């Protein structure tokens, strides 16, 4: 059975991994192929800070909170393995700061040691009068994606660098199932009025003295439109903006100036940091993740597609839970085609 995964960001690669883990010993033969026009280090996942935290509130979308938790628990379990350093996974604590009192976030029972900030802690952050402290995880795309690719290559997964123009193109070359993990490019394969770019721009700096992440939340400005500072294993990521509908992947000097000035106000020691690079990327924003099966008619043939896209600014945060679910949907299709586990009994 042949499965073609389109997209080689964290969603595509982890989906290929979950399919292999769940089915390689059950479906024989099983050929997994990954097609993409951009591979690491040029994907959106590579530019992301790699900090595990979804948006503060799931707005009743408890399925996404479940996938977020599955991802956190999976990454946490990886910490007991020496492999975690090769994966780019490590623990990191920090502060969520609000300009006004707010309900507890949807992820409060997922992270470690969640608590409200004390008066003394808030005094360190003028202009913020409420917030939380917790320990979460970092999973850095620039390290994690090469690790995933190597993991897949060792198990015979094949990679093809080319832009896929249609699902039909892959079905015609013999793919039994197509996994659509194309993020922001999904609209080119199938129109989706709900999918919009949420442009982000960040500044990566050398500031090894910063040890805690700081995310600010200004409920009038909206998600990711107020400063955040996220120390990584080597560099510190400073943001941020969330510009819905802006397709530009070019760095913008006005955005840079605003991001930098706001961040220096929040953490004055940044004035002594060496700026290493600016980066811009498009978050695939949607009211909710699209994770579902679809049978697409193309002439006389039916193309089986599993969509897994629209993860906004939290792809690394939710990837594993979504990959496991996408693999389960793949298994359903395999079973119906008579190629699944039951077919071998």
């Amino acid at each position: 059975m042949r499965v073609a995964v389109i997209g080689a960001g964290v969603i595509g690669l982890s989906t290929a991994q979950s399919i292999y883990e769940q089915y390689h010993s059950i479906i024989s033969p099983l050929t997994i192929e990954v097609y993409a026009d951009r591979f690491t280090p040029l994907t959106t996942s590579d530019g992301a800070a790699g900090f595990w935290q979804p948006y503060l509130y799931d707005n009743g979308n408890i399925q996404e909170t479940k996938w977020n938790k599955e991802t956190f628990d999976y990454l946490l379990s990886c910490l007991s393995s020496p492999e975690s350093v090769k994966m780019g996974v490590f623990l990191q604590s920090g502060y969520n700061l609000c300009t006004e009192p707010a309900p507890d976030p949807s992820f409060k029972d997922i992270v470690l040691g969640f608590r409200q900030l004390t008066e003394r802690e808030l005094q360190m952050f003028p202009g913020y009068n409420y917030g939380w402290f917790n320990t979460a995880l970092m999973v850095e795309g620039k390290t994690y994606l090469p690790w995933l690719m190597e993991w897949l290559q060792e198990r015979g997964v094949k990679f093809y660098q080319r832009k896929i123009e249609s699902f039909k193109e892959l079905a015609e070359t013999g793919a039994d199932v197509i996994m659509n993990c194309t993020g922001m490019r999904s609209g080119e394969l199938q129109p989706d009025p709900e999918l919009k770019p949420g442009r982000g721009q960040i500044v990566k700096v050398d500031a090894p003295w910063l040890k805690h992440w700081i995310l600010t939340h200004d409920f009038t400005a909206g998600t990711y439109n107020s400063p955040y500072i996220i120390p990584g294993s080597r560099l510190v990521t400073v943001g941020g903006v969330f510009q819905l509908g802006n397709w530009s992947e070019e760095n913008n000097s006005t955005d840079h100036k605003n991001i930098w000035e706001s961040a220096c106000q929040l953490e004055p020691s940044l004035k002594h940091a060496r700026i290493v690079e600016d980066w811009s990327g498009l978050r695939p924003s949607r009211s909710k993740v699209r994770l579902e099966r679809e049978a697409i008619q193309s002439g006389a043939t039916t193309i089986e597609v599993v969509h897994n896209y629209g993860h906004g600014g939290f792809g690394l945060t939710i990837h594993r839970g979504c990959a496991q679910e996408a693999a389960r949907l793949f298994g359903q299709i395999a079973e119906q085609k008579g190629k699944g586990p039951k077919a071998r009994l």
Side-chain angles (χ1 to χ4, degrees):
M1 189 166 187
R2 271 183 66 192
V3 54
V5 178
I6 319 175
V10 72
I11 302 298
L13 297 181
S14 61
T15 297
Q17 182 186 44
S18 287
I19 290 172
Y20 181 88
E21 285 176 344
Q22 291 181 33
Y23 298 104
H24 81 99
S25 61
I26 300 171
I27 298 174
S28 182
L30 175 63
T31 304
I32 303 172
E33 301 164 338
V34 178
Y35 294 85
D37 62 342
R38 293 187 199 181
F39 285 91
T40 182
L42 302 175
T43 75
T44 308
S45 306
D46 287 286
F51 169 56
W52 188 99
Q53 183 168 297
Y55 302 154
L56 288 182
Y57 307 111
D58 63 16
N59 297 322
N61 195 344
I62 52 174
Q63 187 60 63
E64 286 183 15
T65 297
K66 176 177 166 282
W67 292 329
N68 288 327
K69 178 175 166 39
E70 285 167 5
T71 306
F72 190 93
D73 292 347
Y74 165 73
L75 294 171
L76 195 60
S77 73
C78 294
L79 285 180
S80 58
S81 149
E83 202 71 1
S84 61
V85 69
K86 286 189 184 170
M87 295 169 74
V89 178
F90 53 96
L91 291 170
Q92 191 113 290
S93 307
Y95 305 90
N96 276 293
L97 304 173
C98 305
T99 48
E100 59 191 275
D104 286 348
S106 307
F107 56 77
K108 71 169 194 175
D109 295 327
I110 301 174
V111 295
L112 306 172
F114 179 88
R115 62 170 176 80
Q116 276 190 15
L117 293 179
T118 63
E119 257 329 294
R120 279 187 73 199
E121 286 171 312
L122 286 164
Q123 282 165 14
M124 297 192 292
F125 306 108
Y128 297 93
N129 58 20
Y130 194 79
W132 311 282
F133 187 88
N134 65 263
T135 299
L137 287 153
M138 296 289 293
V139 51
E140 296 186 306
K142 269 194 165 56
T143 312
Y144 190 52
L145 266 60
W147 178 83
L148 276 170
M149 278 189 74
E150 192 179 313
W151 189 98
L152 292 164
Q153 279 164 333
E154 282 172 0
R155 287 156 182 83
V157 173
K158 295 277 185 285
F159 291 87
Y160 300 96
Q161 180 155 17
R162 68 173 226 239
K163 187 171 181 187
I164 300 299
E165 305 290 347
S166 69
F167 297 132
K168 188 165 171 257
E169 183 186 325
L170 288 172
E172 282 173 350
T173 54
D176 295 299
V177 183
I178 297 168
M179 312 300 288
N180 174 24
C181 307
T182 51
M184 205 46 247
R185 313 294 267 287
S186 205
E188 295 172 28
L189 290 167
Q190 186 186 65
D192 181 353
E194 269 226 58
L195 182 67
K196 295 184 176 70
R199 181 182 175 276
Q201 181 168 325
I202 52 176
V203 185
K204 301 243 182 184
V205 303
D206 192 9
W209 60 88
L210 294 177
K211 306 294 183 196
H212 292 85
W213 44 265
I214 308 169
L215 269 71
T216 65
H217 305 278
D218 178 338
F219 298 110
T220 51
T223 307
Y224 293 151
N225 270 324
S226 58
Y228 58 81
I229 298 166
I230 302 171
S233 55
R234 287 183 290 282
L235 298 175
V236 177
T237 299
V238 177
V241 291
F242 190 110
Q243 298 161 343
L244 201 60
N246 184 346
W247 281 92
S248 170
E249 291 184 76
E250 299 296 313
N251 294 323
N252 177 301
S253 56
T254 310
D255 287 336
H256 173 98
K257 186 171 177 288
N258 293 341
I259 288 166
W260 190 244
E261 285 174 0
S262 311
C264 287
Q265 209 174 342
L266 178 64
E267 177 51 70
S269 74
L270 274 175
K271 290 190 173 76
H272 296 290
R274 181 175 65 87
I275 293 177
V276 177
E277 61 172 334
D278 276 53
W279 182 85
S280 304
L282 307 177
R283 305 173 180 97
S285 302
R286 227 174 162 272
S287 63
K288 62 175 199 279
V289 170
R290 185 178 185 200
L291 181 38
E292 63 185 2
R293 277 178 66 175
E294 185 182 14
I296 299 172
Q297 284 304 127
S298 174
T301 56
T302 302
I303 306 172
E304 289 284 1
V305 178
V306 175
H307 298 286
N308 185 8
Y309 70 85
H311 304 84
F314 54 98
L316 284 153
T317 295
I318 202 170
H319 74 275
R320 175 70 178 189
C322 288
Q324 293 287 86
E325 175 63 15
R328 192 183 69 75
L329 294 175
F330 162 79
Q332 272 181 11
I333 297 167
E335 207 166 294
Q336 284 162 7
K337 282 180 174 274
K339 298 183 180 180
K342 291 188 178 154
R344 296 187 63 198
L345 297 177

